[in-house]
């Protein structure tokens, strides 16, 4: 069985940062090939989040098409922040069955979340998409969501490194459970 995990970083949250690094490790330990999406300089150019998303879509789609996702039996996209919008949009452009783990999604991500197969994790104090908005959307569309109260967009508790590590540990456990194909 061929399996692939694709990591979609944030603007300033690379694939080497904890949430994505350990996603790659957890899935690789279960036999998944790993691909890291690279956005290029256009993601750092000035502009709104929406402008950054629009400028980066074709770069992402090209990388996904080059991978020929149809050759895989299980494909999982793990995305963070702006990566959630790009992963959701990218999957919608492809003829492939893709499961998602959305970490601190943006407003632009919401239409792409499927509550039957995806995992959505938000932050109680997220400055890009409020927990209240995310929870309301998920409730309205019957989508399970986990919110970590008292933490910001990076899912870090700035007043407690221990709590940050506990949150990371819980998310790693979720990766390990999720990485077993349905």
């Amino acid at each position: 069985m061929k399996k692939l995990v694709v990591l979609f970083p944030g603007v300033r949250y690379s694939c080497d940062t904890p949430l994505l690094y350990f996603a790659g490790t957890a899935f690789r330990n279960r036999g998944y090939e790993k691909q890291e999406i690279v956005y290029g300089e256009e993601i750092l150019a000035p502009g709104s989040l929406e402008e950054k998303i629009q400028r980066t879509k074709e770069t992402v789609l090209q990388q996904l098409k080059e991978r020929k996702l149809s050759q895989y039996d299980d494909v999982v996209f793990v995305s963070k922040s702006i990566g959630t919008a790009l992963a959701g949009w990218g999957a919608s452009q492809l003829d492939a069955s893709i499961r998602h783990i959305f970490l601190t999604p943006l407003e632009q991500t919401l239409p792409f979340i499927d509550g039957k197969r995806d995992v959505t994790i938000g932050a109680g104090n997220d400055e890009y998409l409020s927990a209240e908005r995310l929870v309301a959307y998920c409730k309205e569309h019957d989508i399970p969501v986990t919110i970590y109260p008292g933490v910001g967009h990076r899912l870090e508790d700035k007043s407690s490194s221990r709590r940050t590590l506990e949150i990371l540990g819980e998310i790693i456990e979720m990766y390990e459970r999720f990485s077993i194909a349905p």
Side-chain angles (χ1 to χ4, degrees):
M1 180 172 175
K2 283 189 76 163
K3 304 179 284 187
L4 175 70
V5 62
V6 182
L7 306 179
F8 292 77
V11 173
R12 288 184 177 77
Y13 200 93
S14 75
C15 292
D16 292 331
T17 50
L19 293 168
L20 294 177
Y21 172 82
F22 286 111
T25 300
F27 282 88
R28 223 178 34 246
N29 288 344
R30 283 205 160 64
Y32 285 72
E33 293 176 36
K34 180 180 85 168
Q35 178 177 358
E36 296 178 0
I37 296 296
V38 177
Y39 302 134
E41 294 300 314
E42 64 263 27
I43 201 83
L44 298 174
S48 68
L49 279 173
E50 186 60 40
E51 291 168 332
K52 291 174 186 283
I53 291 166
Q54 292 305 318
R55 281 195 306 257
T56 309
K57 282 181 173 180
E58 289 308 312
T59 300
V60 168
L61 190 57
Q62 178 183 351
Q63 290 172 68
L64 294 173
K65 285 182 175 180
E66 287 172 0
R67 193 62 189 233
K68 296 181 176 56
L69 299 181
S70 62
Q71 69 180 316
Y72 294 93
D73 301 300
D74 187 28
V75 178
V76 178
F77 285 4
V78 181
S79 54
K80 175 76 177 84
S81 187
I82 199 169
T84 64
L86 292 163
W89 175 84
S92 76
Q93 303 301 301
L94 302 168
D95 185 27
S97 178
I98 298 166
R99 300 183 297 148
H100 291 269
I101 298 174
F102 294 111
L103 302 168
T104 60
L106 303 179
E107 182 75 30
Q108 295 89 335
T109 311
L110 298 179
F112 301 112
I113 301 173
D114 179 341
K116 292 176 182 59
R117 61 184 179 158
D118 299 337
V119 169
T120 304
I121 296 175
N125 298 334
D126 196 323
E127 61 268 30
Y128 295 101
L129 177 63
S130 74
E132 294 78 16
R133 169 71 177 124
L134 179 57
V135 168
Y137 181 89
C138 289
K139 184 175 181 179
E140 179 183 337
H141 294 89
D142 198 27
I143 298 169
V145 61
T146 300
I147 302 291
Y148 285 97
V151 299
H153 189 67
R154 293 176 66 96
L155 294 172
E156 296 175 357
D157 185 332
K158 294 197 186 284
S159 65
S160 173
S161 296
R162 182 174 304 282
R163 179 154 184 258
T164 298
L165 289 174
E166 289 169 359
I167 291 168
L168 179 61
E170 289 176 19
I171 292 172
I172 291 170
E173 286 178 21
M174 179 273 304
Y175 292 152
E176 293 170 346
R177 288 189 312 271
F178 190 85
S179 61
I180 300 169

